[in-house]
Amino acid sequence: MGLGSLPRISNAKSRSISAENFTGEKGKAGMATEGTGMNQARDLGQGWKVSPSVLIPGNSTFTMAEITGPGAIQHIWLTCDPKNWRRFIIRIYWDGEATPSVEAPLGDFFCNGWCERSNVNSMPVAVNPAGGMNSYWSMPFRKTAKITIENLSSEQEVLYYQVDYTLTEVPDDVAYFHAQWRRSNPLEYKEVHTILDGVTGKGHYVGTYLAWQVNNTGWWGEGEIKFFMDGDQEFPTICGTGTEDYFGGAWNFEHPIGEYGVFSTAFLGLHQVIKPDGLYRSQQRFGMYRWHIMDPIRFDADLKVTIQALGWRSGGRYLPLQDDIASVAFWYQTEPHASYKPLPDIDGLEVI
């Protein structure tokens, strides 16, 4: 879909899954007689917002959507308590695969890894007051699509959600959407943070989100991002010139003087700056995204993506930093995909 094709008539069928229609079946929405809103709707009855959300028990997994294709997920909206943004894990499986193609903490997937809302105004991801999370990544599938949310906490939590999709034919040259989360906490001295590794197959890389905590004083973003593809070994094919450069900024993001210039645009942004004020706050924290929608990084056989963490030390020398860096990589590729490195436990995911 796009503005250019919007007027064209299509045989595709529009469907939607939510707590008001768990299956997306035609003519079956808003029929609930039980749900989280049944007390509020007790005077009105069926059809009056009886089931607007779900309760997910502690230490359990909820299947948010299960769809038989072919088709494509076009939009996901959801909201929950920010405390759950690192305790809820979103996973998406295509065509009955055993391992997920998407696996990330919920907040990070929507560019909000610090469990403190920051609005995002971009093409594929939008986060709006006061915690409405939206994904417009196109997610085609040929047989089935399955979305789950795992609640890693021991407490029952509420989730509101809607998955909008189309049932339609999928061309042979269309690849599958993937996303993977990783964290270096802290990054080892003189090591790089690996955003993505172990990818095999043909595809294209389409985006990076970073939740970055700086553990030193001074400027932290001299590091280069590197894309190793199709057999690259010691040196990559693509190398950036600095962290703020990759995310579309310049000169330390400093504007006005003495301040970080927060921005959120269609394809890139430094949308979150958290300053260490108050009695118990420590370190500065940042949220950044870069979407390769207009300039995808294409690979034929394999891909690895890394980023350096560099500051300054005396004598005008670079200082390798030992920061807390979490990332989500977004890409499309042919299946099958390589299994992901296991996520850490709830303590390893925690924002502290």
Side-chain angles (χ1 to χ4, degrees):
M1 290 304 301
L3 288 176
S5 62
L6 198 58
R8 297 183 62 185
I9 294 296
S10 169
N11 290 324
K13 305 301 181 184
S14 297
R15 299 290 185 264
S16 184
I17 288 175
S18 71
E20 285 283 15
N21 187 351
F22 290 112
T23 65
E25 188 176 353
K26 183 180 181 302
K28 298 294 184 179
M31 295 177 60
T33 56
E34 296 182 353
T36 56
M38 66 186 276
N39 183 56
Q40 294 87 334
R42 63 187 181 275
D43 295 334
L44 299 173
Q46 189 179 31
W48 291 90
K49 201 171 180 176
V50 174
S51 181
S53 59
V54 295
L55 297 172
I56 306 178
N59 301 307
S60 71
T61 298
F62 170 69
T63 297
M64 193 165 77
E66 199 155 11
I67 307 166
T68 299
I73 294 170
Q74 297 178 310
H75 172 234
I76 300 172
W77 167 87
L78 56 80
T79 190
C80 63
D81 193 311
K83 70 181 181 182
N84 295 317
W85 291 354
R86 275 277 174 90
R87 306 194 305 188
F88 278 7
I89 306 299
I90 184 169
R91 295 184 177 93
I92 306 179
Y93 304 79
W94 308 124
D95 296 354
E97 61 190 357
T99 61
S101 289
V102 172
E103 184 176 54
L106 195 64
D108 295 73
F109 184 76
F110 292 95
C111 303
N112 270 259
W114 291 119
C115 299
E116 296 183 29
R117 181 177 58 83
S118 177
N119 291 342
V120 179
N121 181 22
S122 77
M123 284 192 67
V125 176
V127 177
N128 305 316
M133 295 179 159
N134 299 269
S135 166
Y136 282 96
W137 291 112
S138 178
M139 304 181 190
F141 55 95
R142 291 176 173 84
K143 297 178 182 178
T144 60
K146 181 179 178 180
I147 307 176
T148 67
I149 301 291
E150 182 181 8
N151 177 9
L152 295 178
S153 79
S154 60
E155 303 170 1
Q156 178 175 265
E157 300 292 349
V158 66
L159 175 71
Y160 296 81
Y161 69 96
Q162 187 148 355
V163 179
D164 301 315
Y165 63 98
T166 183
L167 298 176
T168 186
E169 294 301 314
V170 176
D172 292 341
D173 62 351
V174 168
Y176 292 86
F177 179 76
H178 292 72
Q180 182 185 158
W181 183 88
R182 293 191 177 210
R183 187 182 195 180
S184 300
N185 182 29
L187 183 63
E188 294 185 19
Y189 185 59
K190 293 186 178 180
E191 294 292 334
V192 297
H193 172 71
T194 298
I195 296 172
L196 186 62
D197 195 8
V199 172
T200 57
K202 184 180 179 68
H204 43 279
Y205 186 89
V206 294
T208 308
Y209 165 71
L210 290 182
W212 191 310
Q213 175 181 290
V214 181
N215 293 332
N216 287 68
T217 59
W219 171 237
W220 46 273
E222 289 298 326
E224 298 175 335
I225 192 166
K226 298 180 179 181
F227 293 86
F228 300 81
M229 62 187 71
D230 301 334
D232 289 343
Q233 297 298 317
E234 184 178 0
F235 298 103
T237 295
I238 296 174
C239 180
T241 58
T243 302
E244 82 273 44
D245 308 342
Y246 172 69
F247 289 98
W251 303 112
N252 306 2
F253 297 121
E254 189 175 358
H255 182 80
I257 299 298
E259 295 287 339
Y260 286 104
V262 175
F263 64 100
S264 182
T265 71
F267 303 122
L268 30 75
L270 173 76
H271 61 289
Q272 187 167 35
V273 176
I274 302 174
K275 298 180 180 180
D277 55 351
L279 183 60
Y280 296 112
R281 299 301 292 268
S282 178
Q283 288 81 29
Q284 292 189 92
R285 291 171 168 173
F286 303 89
M288 299 163 279
Y289 64 88
R290 165 69 153 95
W291 308 136
H292 292 270
I293 292 175
M294 304 302 291
D295 57 342
I297 307 295
R298 304 190 186 278
F299 57 93
D300 289 322
D302 56 78
L303 179 68
K304 177 180 179 179
V305 186
T306 67
I307 192 167
Q308 300 166 335
L310 281 180
W312 291 101
R313 70 190 328 153
S314 62
R317 296 172 293 155
Y318 292 135
L319 171 66
L321 300 175
Q322 296 180 269
D323 291 341
D324 177 358
I325 304 173
S327 60
V328 180
F330 301 83
W331 77 101
Y332 289 88
Q333 71 159 93
T334 55
E335 292 286 7
H337 67 270
S339 297
Y340 298 169
K341 184 178 179 181
L343 292 177
D345 61 17
I346 191 170
D347 292 338
L349 291 164
E350 189 177 12
V351 175
I352 54 175

PDB file of all heavy atoms in Angstrom, residues 96-131:
ATOM      1  N   GLY A  96       3.995 -21.336  10.175  1.00  0.00           N
ATOM      2  CA  GLY A  96       4.156 -22.486  11.032  1.00  0.00           C
ATOM      3  C   GLY A  96       5.566 -22.772  11.502  1.00  0.00           C
ATOM      4  O   GLY A  96       5.845 -23.868  12.004  1.00  0.00           O
ATOM      5  N   GLU A  97       6.451 -21.806  11.391  1.00  0.00           N
ATOM      6  CA  GLU A  97       7.843 -22.035  11.793  1.00  0.00           C
ATOM      7  C   GLU A  97       7.945 -22.275  13.299  1.00  0.00           C
ATOM      8  O   GLU A  97       7.119 -21.802  14.083  1.00  0.00           O
ATOM      9  CB  GLU A  97       8.729 -20.850  11.379  1.00  0.00           C
ATOM     10  CG  GLU A  97       8.332 -19.530  12.001  1.00  0.00           C
ATOM     11  CD  GLU A  97       9.063 -18.348  11.386  1.00  0.00           C
ATOM     12  OE1 GLU A  97       9.926 -18.553  10.517  1.00  0.00           O
ATOM     13  OE2 GLU A  97       8.771 -17.202  11.789  1.00  0.00           O
ATOM     14  N   ALA A  98       8.994 -23.028  13.702  1.00  0.00           N
ATOM     15  CA  ALA A  98       9.176 -23.390  15.110  1.00  0.00           C
ATOM     16  C   ALA A  98       9.795 -22.266  15.921  1.00  0.00           C
ATOM     17  O   ALA A  98       9.557 -22.153  17.127  1.00  0.00           O
ATOM     18  CB  ALA A  98      10.036 -24.643  15.207  1.00  0.00           C
ATOM     19  N   THR A  99      10.618 -21.429  15.314  1.00  0.00           N
ATOM     20  CA  THR A  99      11.275 -20.323  16.017  1.00  0.00           C
ATOM     21  C   THR A  99      10.778 -19.004  15.446  1.00  0.00           C
ATOM     22  O   THR A  99      10.508 -18.901  14.242  1.00  0.00           O
ATOM     23  CB  THR A  99      12.803 -20.404  15.889  1.00  0.00           C
ATOM     24  OG1 THR A  99      13.173 -20.327  14.505  1.00  0.00           O
ATOM     25  CG2 THR A  99      13.318 -21.712  16.471  1.00  0.00           C
ATOM     26  N   PRO A 100      10.635 -17.978  16.284  1.00  0.00           N
ATOM     27  CA  PRO A 100      10.028 -16.732  15.820  1.00  0.00           C
ATOM     28  C   PRO A 100      10.931 -15.957  14.870  1.00  0.00           C
ATOM     29  O   PRO A 100      12.155 -15.976  14.975  1.00  0.00           O
ATOM     30  CB  PRO A 100       9.797 -15.954  17.115  1.00  0.00           C
ATOM     31  CG  PRO A 100      10.838 -16.477  18.060  1.00  0.00           C
ATOM     32  CD  PRO A 100      10.988 -17.933  17.715  1.00  0.00           C
ATOM     33  N   SER A 101      10.301 -15.228  13.957  1.00  0.00           N
ATOM     34  CA  SER A 101      11.019 -14.290  13.093  1.00  0.00           C
ATOM     35  C   SER A 101      11.134 -12.922  13.751  1.00  0.00           C
ATOM     36  O   SER A 101      12.014 -12.139  13.412  1.00  0.00           O
ATOM     37  CB  SER A 101      10.304 -14.157  11.748  1.00  0.00           C
ATOM     38  OG  SER A 101      10.439 -15.331  10.979  1.00  0.00           O
ATOM     39  N   VAL A 102      10.230 -12.616  14.677  1.00  0.00           N
ATOM     40  CA  VAL A 102      10.280 -11.385  15.477  1.00  0.00           C
ATOM     41  C   VAL A 102      10.334 -11.794  16.936  1.00  0.00           C
ATOM     42  O   VAL A 102       9.502 -12.577  17.395  1.00  0.00           O
ATOM     43  CB  VAL A 102       9.047 -10.497  15.210  1.00  0.00           C
ATOM     44  CG1 VAL A 102       9.011  -9.325  16.189  1.00  0.00           C
ATOM     45  CG2 VAL A 102       9.031 -10.008  13.768  1.00  0.00           C
ATOM     46  N   GLU A 103      11.316 -11.255  17.671  1.00  0.00           N
ATOM     47  CA  GLU A 103      11.423 -11.509  19.107  1.00  0.00           C
ATOM     48  C   GLU A 103      12.085 -10.310  19.758  1.00  0.00           C
ATOM     49  O   GLU A 103      13.266 -10.037  19.510  1.00  0.00           O
ATOM     50  CB  GLU A 103      12.214 -12.780  19.387  1.00  0.00           C
ATOM     51  CG  GLU A 103      12.258 -13.140  20.870  1.00  0.00           C
ATOM     52  CD  GLU A 103      12.969 -14.460  21.130  1.00  0.00           C
ATOM     53  OE1 GLU A 103      14.130 -14.605  20.686  1.00  0.00           O
ATOM     54  OE2 GLU A 103      12.358 -15.338  21.770  1.00  0.00           O
ATOM     55  N   ALA A 104      11.325  -9.596  20.599  1.00  0.00           N
ATOM     56  CA  ALA A 104      11.859  -8.390  21.235  1.00  0.00           C
ATOM     57  C   ALA A 104      10.968  -7.991  22.398  1.00  0.00           C
ATOM     58  O   ALA A 104       9.763  -8.282  22.391  1.00  0.00           O
ATOM     59  CB  ALA A 104      11.928  -7.234  20.238  1.00  0.00           C
ATOM     60  N   PRO A 105      11.534  -7.328  23.400  1.00  0.00           N
ATOM     61  CA  PRO A 105      10.667  -6.705  24.403  1.00  0.00           C
ATOM     62  C   PRO A 105       9.714  -5.725  23.722  1.00  0.00           C
ATOM     63  O   PRO A 105      10.090  -5.046  22.751  1.00  0.00           O
ATOM     64  CB  PRO A 105      11.659  -5.981  25.314  1.00  0.00           C
ATOM     65  CG  PRO A 105      12.953  -6.693  25.116  1.00  0.00           C
ATOM     66  CD  PRO A 105      12.963  -7.116  23.681  1.00  0.00           C
ATOM     67  N   LEU A 106       8.514  -5.650  24.222  1.00  0.00           N
ATOM     68  CA  LEU A 106       7.468  -4.882  23.561  1.00  0.00           C
ATOM     69  C   LEU A 106       7.860  -3.420  23.372  1.00  0.00           C
ATOM     70  O   LEU A 106       7.687  -2.853  22.280  1.00  0.00           O
ATOM     71  CB  LEU A 106       6.183  -4.979  24.378  1.00  0.00           C
ATOM     72  CG  LEU A 106       4.896  -4.546  23.687  1.00  0.00           C
ATOM     73  CD1 LEU A 106       4.585  -5.443  22.518  1.00  0.00           C
ATOM     74  CD2 LEU A 106       3.738  -4.543  24.683  1.00  0.00           C
ATOM     75  N   GLY A 107       8.384  -2.788  24.431  1.00  0.00           N
ATOM     76  CA  GLY A 107       8.729  -1.379  24.325  1.00  0.00           C
ATOM     77  C   GLY A 107       9.803  -1.119  23.293  1.00  0.00           C
ATOM     78  O   GLY A 107       9.713  -0.170  22.496  1.00  0.00           O
ATOM     79  N   ASP A 108      10.841  -1.940  23.273  1.00  0.00           N
ATOM     80  CA  ASP A 108      11.928  -1.758  22.312  1.00  0.00           C
ATOM     81  C   ASP A 108      11.428  -1.896  20.875  1.00  0.00           C
ATOM     82  O   ASP A 108      11.890  -1.183  19.976  1.00  0.00           O
ATOM     83  CB  ASP A 108      13.033  -2.772  22.579  1.00  0.00           C
ATOM     84  CG  ASP A 108      13.709  -2.574  23.926  1.00  0.00           C
ATOM     85  OD1 ASP A 108      13.076  -2.885  24.956  1.00  0.00           O
ATOM     86  OD2 ASP A 108      14.857  -2.105  23.965  1.00  0.00           O
ATOM     87  N   PHE A 109      10.504  -2.842  20.642  1.00  0.00           N
ATOM     88  CA  PHE A 109       9.965  -3.032  19.296  1.00  0.00           C
ATOM     89  C   PHE A 109       9.308  -1.751  18.797  1.00  0.00           C
ATOM     90  O   PHE A 109       9.315  -1.464  17.596  1.00  0.00           O
ATOM     91  CB  PHE A 109       8.959  -4.185  19.295  1.00  0.00           C
ATOM     92  CG  PHE A 109       8.409  -4.521  17.944  1.00  0.00           C
ATOM     93  CD1 PHE A 109       9.168  -5.224  17.019  1.00  0.00           C
ATOM     94  CD2 PHE A 109       7.126  -4.134  17.587  1.00  0.00           C
ATOM     95  CE1 PHE A 109       8.656  -5.536  15.764  1.00  0.00           C
ATOM     96  CE2 PHE A 109       6.605  -4.446  16.328  1.00  0.00           C
ATOM     97  CZ  PHE A 109       7.382  -5.145  15.422  1.00  0.00           C
ATOM     98  N   PHE A 110       8.740  -0.967  19.716  1.00  0.00           N
ATOM     99  CA  PHE A 110       8.105   0.302  19.364  1.00  0.00           C
ATOM    100  C   PHE A 110       8.990   1.500  19.749  1.00  0.00           C
ATOM    101  O   PHE A 110       8.488   2.598  19.996  1.00  0.00           O
ATOM    102  CB  PHE A 110       6.744   0.414  20.038  1.00  0.00           C
ATOM    103  CG  PHE A 110       5.721  -0.553  19.502  1.00  0.00           C
ATOM    104  CD1 PHE A 110       5.506  -1.777  20.119  1.00  0.00           C
ATOM    105  CD2 PHE A 110       4.980  -0.243  18.371  1.00  0.00           C
ATOM    106  CE1 PHE A 110       4.561  -2.672  19.630  1.00  0.00           C
ATOM    107  CE2 PHE A 110       4.036  -1.132  17.873  1.00  0.00           C
ATOM    108  CZ  PHE A 110       3.831  -2.354  18.504  1.00  0.00           C
ATOM    109  N   CYS A 111      10.306   1.290  19.802  1.00  0.00           N
ATOM    110  CA  CYS A 111      11.277   2.377  20.026  1.00  0.00           C
ATOM    111  C   CYS A 111      11.104   3.055  21.378  1.00  0.00           C
ATOM    112  O   CYS A 111      11.377   4.251  21.525  1.00  0.00           O
ATOM    113  CB  CYS A 111      11.200   3.423  18.914  1.00  0.00           C
ATOM    114  SG  CYS A 111      11.471   2.769  17.270  1.00  0.00           S
ATOM    115  N   ASN A 112      10.694   2.287  22.396  1.00  0.00           N
ATOM    116  CA  ASN A 112      10.537   2.813  23.746  1.00  0.00           C
ATOM    117  C   ASN A 112      11.098   1.812  24.743  1.00  0.00           C
ATOM    118  O   ASN A 112      10.366   1.212  25.534  1.00  0.00           O
ATOM    119  CB  ASN A 112       9.068   3.128  24.038  1.00  0.00           C
ATOM    120  CG  ASN A 112       8.675   4.542  23.672  1.00  0.00           C
ATOM    121  OD1 ASN A 112       8.576   5.432  24.518  1.00  0.00           O
ATOM    122  ND2 ASN A 112       8.470   4.755  22.385  1.00  0.00           N
ATOM    123  N   GLY A 113      12.409   1.643  24.704  1.00  0.00           N
ATOM    124  CA  GLY A 113      13.048   0.633  25.520  1.00  0.00           C
ATOM    125  C   GLY A 113      13.262   1.002  26.973  1.00  0.00           C
ATOM    126  O   GLY A 113      13.560   0.127  27.784  1.00  0.00           O
ATOM    127  N   TRP A 114      13.112   2.279  27.324  1.00  0.00           N
ATOM    128  CA  TRP A 114      13.450   2.705  28.686  1.00  0.00           C
ATOM    129  C   TRP A 114      12.257   2.702  29.633  1.00  0.00           C
ATOM    130  O   TRP A 114      12.358   3.180  30.754  1.00  0.00           O
ATOM    131  CB  TRP A 114      14.090   4.094  28.657  1.00  0.00           C
ATOM    132  CG  TRP A 114      15.451   4.093  28.026  1.00  0.00           C
ATOM    133  CD1 TRP A 114      15.850   4.772  26.908  1.00  0.00           C
ATOM    134  CD2 TRP A 114      16.597   3.373  28.473  1.00  0.00           C
ATOM    135  NE1 TRP A 114      17.164   4.514  26.634  1.00  0.00           N
ATOM    136  CE2 TRP A 114      17.658   3.659  27.576  1.00  0.00           C
ATOM    137  CE3 TRP A 114      16.839   2.501  29.549  1.00  0.00           C
ATOM    138  CZ2 TRP A 114      18.929   3.110  27.719  1.00  0.00           C
ATOM    139  CZ3 TRP A 114      18.100   1.943  29.690  1.00  0.00           C
ATOM    140  CH2 TRP A 114      19.134   2.260  28.783  1.00  0.00           C
ATOM    141  N   CYS A 115      11.114   2.182  29.193  1.00  0.00           N
ATOM    142  CA  CYS A 115       9.909   2.098  30.038  1.00  0.00           C
ATOM    143  C   CYS A 115       9.435   3.475  30.494  1.00  0.00           C
ATOM    144  O   CYS A 115       8.783   3.612  31.533  1.00  0.00           O
ATOM    145  CB  CYS A 115      10.125   1.174  31.234  1.00  0.00           C
ATOM    146  SG  CYS A 115      10.495  -0.529  30.757  1.00  0.00           S
ATOM    147  N   GLU A 116       9.797   4.492  29.728  1.00  0.00           N
ATOM    148  CA  GLU A 116       9.291   5.855  29.912  1.00  0.00           C
ATOM    149  C   GLU A 116       8.878   6.347  28.533  1.00  0.00           C
ATOM    150  O   GLU A 116       9.707   6.427  27.634  1.00  0.00           O
ATOM    151  CB  GLU A 116      10.362   6.783  30.503  1.00  0.00           C
ATOM    152  CG  GLU A 116      10.814   6.408  31.898  1.00  0.00           C
ATOM    153  CD  GLU A 116      11.814   7.392  32.467  1.00  0.00           C
ATOM    154  OE1 GLU A 116      11.755   8.593  32.087  1.00  0.00           O
ATOM    155  OE2 GLU A 116      12.658   6.990  33.288  1.00  0.00           O
ATOM    156  N   ARG A 117       7.587   6.662  28.370  1.00  0.00           N
ATOM    157  CA  ARG A 117       7.094   6.959  27.026  1.00  0.00           C
ATOM    158  C   ARG A 117       7.791   8.139  26.382  1.00  0.00           C
ATOM    159  O   ARG A 117       7.977   9.200  26.979  1.00  0.00           O
ATOM    160  CB  ARG A 117       5.585   7.230  27.051  1.00  0.00           C
ATOM    161  CG  ARG A 117       5.028   7.535  25.640  1.00  0.00           C
ATOM    162  CD  ARG A 117       3.524   7.727  25.670  1.00  0.00           C
ATOM    163  NE  ARG A 117       3.106   8.794  26.552  1.00  0.00           N
ATOM    164  CZ  ARG A 117       3.095  10.090  26.230  1.00  0.00           C
ATOM    165  NH1 ARG A 117       3.487  10.462  25.031  1.00  0.00           N
ATOM    166  NH2 ARG A 117       2.687  10.985  27.099  1.00  0.00           N
ATOM    167  N   SER A 118       8.153   7.934  25.109  1.00  0.00           N
ATOM    168  CA  SER A 118       8.634   8.998  24.254  1.00  0.00           C
ATOM    169  C   SER A 118       7.878   8.908  22.934  1.00  0.00           C
ATOM    170  O   SER A 118       7.860   7.851  22.295  1.00  0.00           O
ATOM    171  CB  SER A 118      10.143   8.853  23.999  1.00  0.00           C
ATOM    172  OG  SER A 118      10.600   9.849  23.106  1.00  0.00           O
ATOM    173  N   ASN A 119       7.236   9.966  22.525  1.00  0.00           N
ATOM    174  CA  ASN A 119       6.482   9.937  21.277  1.00  0.00           C
ATOM    175  C   ASN A 119       7.411   9.721  20.088  1.00  0.00           C
ATOM    176  O   ASN A 119       8.540  10.230  20.054  1.00  0.00           O
ATOM    177  CB  ASN A 119       5.702  11.238  21.088  1.00  0.00           C
ATOM    178  CG  ASN A 119       4.574  11.385  22.081  1.00  0.00           C
ATOM    179  OD1 ASN A 119       4.142  10.416  22.709  1.00  0.00           O
ATOM    180  ND2 ASN A 119       4.094  12.607  22.252  1.00  0.00           N
ATOM    181  N   VAL A 120       6.935   8.972  19.106  1.00  0.00           N
ATOM    182  CA  VAL A 120       7.682   8.687  17.883  1.00  0.00           C
ATOM    183  C   VAL A 120       6.793   9.055  16.709  1.00  0.00           C
ATOM    184  O   VAL A 120       5.634   8.640  16.644  1.00  0.00           O
ATOM    185  CB  VAL A 120       8.087   7.202  17.797  1.00  0.00           C
ATOM    186  CG1 VAL A 120       8.834   6.925  16.492  1.00  0.00           C
ATOM    187  CG2 VAL A 120       8.932   6.799  18.994  1.00  0.00           C
ATOM    188  N   ASN A 121       7.336   9.838  15.781  1.00  0.00           N
ATOM    189  CA  ASN A 121       6.588  10.292  14.623  1.00  0.00           C
ATOM    190  C   ASN A 121       7.344   9.869  13.367  1.00  0.00           C
ATOM    191  O   ASN A 121       8.025  10.658  12.733  1.00  0.00           O
ATOM    192  CB  ASN A 121       6.408  11.810  14.666  1.00  0.00           C
ATOM    193  CG  ASN A 121       5.606  12.336  13.498  1.00  0.00           C
ATOM    194  OD1 ASN A 121       4.849  11.611  12.878  1.00  0.00           O
ATOM    195  ND2 ASN A 121       5.791  13.613  13.179  1.00  0.00           N
ATOM    196  N   SER A 122       7.248   8.569  13.026  1.00  0.00           N
ATOM    197  CA  SER A 122       7.955   8.056  11.856  1.00  0.00           C
ATOM    198  C   SER A 122       6.998   7.272  10.981  1.00  0.00           C
ATOM    199  O   SER A 122       5.859   6.999  11.371  1.00  0.00           O
ATOM    200  CB  SER A 122       9.136   7.179  12.279  1.00  0.00           C
ATOM    201  OG  SER A 122       8.723   5.895  12.689  1.00  0.00           O
ATOM    202  N   MET A 123       7.452   6.870   9.800  1.00  0.00           N
ATOM    203  CA  MET A 123       6.562   6.160   8.883  1.00  0.00           C
ATOM    204  C   MET A 123       6.148   4.779   9.398  1.00  0.00           C
ATOM    205  O   MET A 123       4.963   4.472   9.456  1.00  0.00           O
ATOM    206  CB  MET A 123       7.202   6.047   7.498  1.00  0.00           C
ATOM    207  CG  MET A 123       7.165   7.334   6.704  1.00  0.00           C
ATOM    208  SD  MET A 123       7.598   7.102   4.979  1.00  0.00           S
ATOM    209  CE  MET A 123       6.218   6.123   4.397  1.00  0.00           C
ATOM    210  N   PRO A 124       7.100   3.904   9.795  1.00  0.00           N
ATOM    211  CA  PRO A 124       6.676   2.564  10.194  1.00  0.00           C
ATOM    212  C   PRO A 124       6.299   2.424  11.658  1.00  0.00           C
ATOM    213  O   PRO A 124       5.634   1.458  12.032  1.00  0.00           O
ATOM    214  CB  PRO A 124       7.892   1.702   9.863  1.00  0.00           C
ATOM    215  CG  PRO A 124       9.038   2.622  10.054  1.00  0.00           C
ATOM    216  CD  PRO A 124       8.555   3.984   9.638  1.00  0.00           C
ATOM    217  N   VAL A 125       6.745   3.345  12.511  1.00  0.00           N
ATOM    218  CA  VAL A 125       6.460   3.271  13.944  1.00  0.00           C
ATOM    219  C   VAL A 125       5.964   4.632  14.424  1.00  0.00           C
ATOM    220  O   VAL A 125       6.593   5.656  14.154  1.00  0.00           O
ATOM    221  CB  VAL A 125       7.696   2.856  14.756  1.00  0.00           C
ATOM    222  CG1 VAL A 125       7.406   2.890  16.251  1.00  0.00           C
ATOM    223  CG2 VAL A 125       8.171   1.465  14.344  1.00  0.00           C
ATOM    224  N   ALA A 126       4.828   4.628  15.125  1.00  0.00           N
ATOM    225  CA  ALA A 126       4.304   5.849  15.733  1.00  0.00           C
ATOM    226  C   ALA A 126       3.885   5.529  17.158  1.00  0.00           C
ATOM    227  O   ALA A 126       3.165   4.554  17.396  1.00  0.00           O
ATOM    228  CB  ALA A 126       3.118   6.391  14.947  1.00  0.00           C
ATOM    229  N   VAL A 127       4.377   6.332  18.101  1.00  0.00           N
ATOM    230  CA  VAL A 127       3.978   6.208  19.500  1.00  0.00           C
ATOM    231  C   VAL A 127       3.379   7.548  19.909  1.00  0.00           C
ATOM    232  O   VAL A 127       4.009   8.599  19.758  1.00  0.00           O
ATOM    233  CB  VAL A 127       5.167   5.834  20.402  1.00  0.00           C
ATOM    234  CG1 VAL A 127       4.732   5.773  21.863  1.00  0.00           C
ATOM    235  CG2 VAL A 127       5.768   4.490  19.963  1.00  0.00           C
ATOM    236  N   ASN A 128       2.150   7.496  20.414  1.00  0.00           N
ATOM    237  CA  ASN A 128       1.367   8.704  20.626  1.00  0.00           C
ATOM    238  C   ASN A 128       0.857   8.774  22.061  1.00  0.00           C
ATOM    239  O   ASN A 128       0.810   7.753  22.764  1.00  0.00           O
ATOM    240  CB  ASN A 128       0.174   8.711  19.664  1.00  0.00           C
ATOM    241  CG  ASN A 128       0.599   8.552  18.214  1.00  0.00           C
ATOM    242  OD1 ASN A 128       1.548   9.184  17.770  1.00  0.00           O
ATOM    243  ND2 ASN A 128      -0.083   7.693  17.474  1.00  0.00           N
ATOM    244  N   PRO A 129       0.481   9.996  22.532  1.00  0.00           N
ATOM    245  CA  PRO A 129      -0.057  10.118  23.890  1.00  0.00           C
ATOM    246  C   PRO A 129      -1.272   9.220  24.084  1.00  0.00           C
ATOM    247  O   PRO A 129      -2.115   9.116  23.194  1.00  0.00           O
ATOM    248  CB  PRO A 129      -0.452  11.600  23.956  1.00  0.00           C
ATOM    249  CG  PRO A 129       0.405  12.277  22.928  1.00  0.00           C
ATOM    250  CD  PRO A 129       0.546  11.285  21.824  1.00  0.00           C
ATOM    251  N   ALA A 130      -1.412   8.573  25.229  1.00  0.00           N
ATOM    252  CA  ALA A 130      -0.401   8.514  26.276  1.00  0.00           C
ATOM    253  C   ALA A 130       0.076   7.073  26.391  1.00  0.00           C
ATOM    254  O   ALA A 130      -0.125   6.414  27.385  1.00  0.00           O
ATOM    255  CB  ALA A 130      -0.978   9.002  27.592  1.00  0.00           C
ATOM    256  N   GLY A 131       0.671   6.579  25.291  1.00  0.00           N
ATOM    257  CA  GLY A 131       1.162   5.215  25.261  1.00  0.00           C
ATOM    258  C   GLY A 131       0.553   4.354  24.176  1.00  0.00           C
ATOM    259  O   GLY A 131       0.612   3.127  24.261  1.00  0.00           O
TER     260      GLY A 131
END
